[in-house]
């Protein structure tokens, strides 16, 4: 490729950000042009040295708008990959769209209202934006299998398990799974008894179409999800386990390459596969 795709990584020193830096550096058709992190102790350091792959001549900065402005002047249409925090992701995406830098968003925690507002903003600006709750191909396959299974089962609950540094609950992946099942137009889990929670929250969060979502946060976990279907005499459990964050990188790189072809916001990896 004559001119590689310029990419900025926001949240570059986090766990997902580090993996993304490595993946971009190894891709012939991508070039890292910016690395953003909040921590004061990494400012000005070479991000390649920080992640352990040698110098990339890209210093870490905490100036998001300044980096978006610089990226917008690149010859090729730039992309920003965001793995930051639910508290700032809405503003991050709006700023990227305003500068014409295509956002690929792995940060979860956006509300439905925020997603709608960002979609309208992206449409008006004709700027592609991808919001991906989970970049794993295996997770997409689990969701598709759950949709097929839901044709035959009326009872289903979702269990998601993540590391104890994840800020939002339920996970965006679990919410996306519940939304996909709800799109079938079927209400799940018809009541058999009048339930009473003796401890509030014991039955988990009540998602769309009466689907319960349960969240676990523990050290030692990375990202895991179970979709559990029940019927008289049997249980069907669909489960996806992440053992290493490198499994997300094929999906991240696919999203970086695809987002420049879009003129609006798309939600979910399944929409671009």
């Amino acid at each position: 490729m004559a001119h590689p795709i310029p990419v900025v990584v926001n949240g570059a020193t986090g766990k997902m950000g580090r993996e993304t830096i490595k993946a971009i550096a190894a891709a012939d058709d991508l070039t890292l042009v910016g690395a953003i992190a909040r921590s004061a102790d990494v400012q000005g350091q070479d991000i390649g040295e920080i992640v352990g792959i040698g110098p990339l001549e890209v210093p870490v900065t905490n100036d998001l708008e300044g980096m978006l402005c610089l990226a917008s002047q690149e010859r090729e249409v730039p992309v920003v990959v965001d793995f930051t925090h639910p508290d700032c992701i809405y503003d991050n995406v709006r700023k990227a769209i305003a500068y014409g830098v295509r956002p690929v968003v792995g940060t979860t925690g956006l509300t439905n209202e925020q997603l709608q507002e960002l979609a309208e903003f992206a449409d008006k600006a004709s700027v592609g934006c991808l919001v991906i709750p989970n970049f794993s191909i295996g997770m997409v396959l689990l969701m598709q299998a759950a949709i097929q299974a839901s044709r035959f089962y009326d009872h289903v609950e979702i269990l998601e398990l993540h590391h104890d540094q994840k800020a939002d609950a339920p996970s965006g992946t679990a919410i996306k799974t519940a939304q996909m099942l709800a799109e079938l137009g079927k209400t799940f889990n018809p009541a058999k008894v009048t339930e009473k929670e003796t401890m509030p929250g014991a039955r988990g969060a009540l998602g769309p179409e009466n689907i319960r979502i349960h969240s676990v946060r523990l050290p030692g976990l990375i990202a895991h999800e179970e979709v559990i279907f029940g019927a008289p005499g049997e249980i069907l459990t669909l489960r996806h386990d992440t053992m290493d964050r490198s499994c997300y990188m094929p999906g991240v790189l696919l999203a970086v390459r695809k987002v420049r072809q879009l003129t609006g916001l798309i939600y979910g990896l399944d929409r671009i596969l």
Side-chain angles (χ1 to χ4, degrees):
M1 188 172 181
H3 304 292
I5 301 169
V7 184
V8 175
V9 177
N10 193 10
T13 58
K15 293 182 176 67
M16 282 296 292
R18 288 169 181 258
E19 289 295 329
T20 302
I21 295 291
K22 295 175 187 177
I24 292 168
D28 293 337
D29 61 334
L30 309 179
T31 183
L32 184 71
V33 297
I36 304 168
R38 288 183 174 181
S39 300
D41 58 348
V42 298
Q43 299 304 305
Q45 293 185 37
D46 189 293
I47 188 61
E49 298 281 11
I50 292 173
V51 305
I53 59 174
L56 295 176
E57 299 183 359
V58 177
V60 176
T61 177
N62 61 3
D63 183 3
L64 173 60
E65 286 203 59
M67 185 53 62
L68 292 173
C69 182
L70 286 174
S72 68
Q73 299 171 34
E74 291 283 338
R75 180 179 301 185
E76 293 292 325
V77 176
V79 176
V80 58
V81 180
D82 193 295
F83 288 108
T84 54
H85 192 277
D87 289 347
C88 61
I89 185 56
Y90 176 80
D91 289 337
N92 290 352
V93 177
R94 279 196 68 94
K95 289 173 182 176
I97 293 171
Y99 279 99
V101 181
R102 276 52 175 173
V104 170
V105 182
T107 308
T108 56
L110 287 166
T111 66
N112 290 334
E113 291 77 13
Q114 288 176 324
L115 281 169
Q116 182 59 39
E117 289 174 9
L118 290 173
E120 292 172 359
F121 189 41
D123 284 341
K124 289 178 181 177
S126 295
V127 170
C129 176
L130 282 169
V131 179
I132 312 290
N134 194 301
F135 286 95
S136 165
I137 305 299
M139 194 63 235
V140 172
L141 295 174
L142 181 147
M143 292 178 181
Q144 295 299 323
I147 290 172
Q148 293 300 315
S150 66
R151 296 168 51 206
F152 305 97
Y153 292 90
D154 295 327
H155 295 263
V156 61
E157 302 205 6
I158 299 171
L159 172 66
E160 57 96 353
L161 309 92
H162 281 79
H163 54 87
D164 59 348
Q165 296 180 42
K166 183 170 177 59
D168 58 312
S171 70
T173 305
I175 294 171
K176 172 68 172 175
T177 305
Q179 289 172 341
M180 291 178 73
L181 295 178
E183 287 173 1
L184 301 173
K186 175 179 181 178
T187 299
F188 293 91
N189 304 315
K192 299 296 180 68
V193 297
T194 301
E195 289 188 349
K196 178 183 178 182
E197 289 184 326
T198 55
M199 295 180 67
R203 287 289 290 117
L206 186 60
E209 296 299 348
N210 210 36
I211 300 172
R212 295 280 180 178
I213 305 176
H214 309 265
S215 297
V216 175
R217 298 290 178 267
L218 289 171
L221 296 170
I222 296 182
H224 316 261
E225 181 172 301
E226 292 185 6
V227 183
I228 308 170
F229 294 93
E234 67 175 0
I235 293 290
L236 171 64
T237 301
L238 303 174
R239 179 172 173 121
H240 180 264
D241 294 291
T242 300
M243 277 72 76
D244 191 285
R245 290 175 178 85
S246 60
C247 75
Y248 299 123
M249 292 306 107
V252 171
L253 297 185
L254 174 67
V256 168
R257 293 167 180 137
K258 290 276 191 178
V259 70
R260 305 191 328 147
Q261 304 169 18
L262 307 177
T263 56
L265 186 147
I266 286 181
Y267 182 78
L269 186 65
D270 57 297
R271 300 281 303 280
I272 62 169
L273 288 177

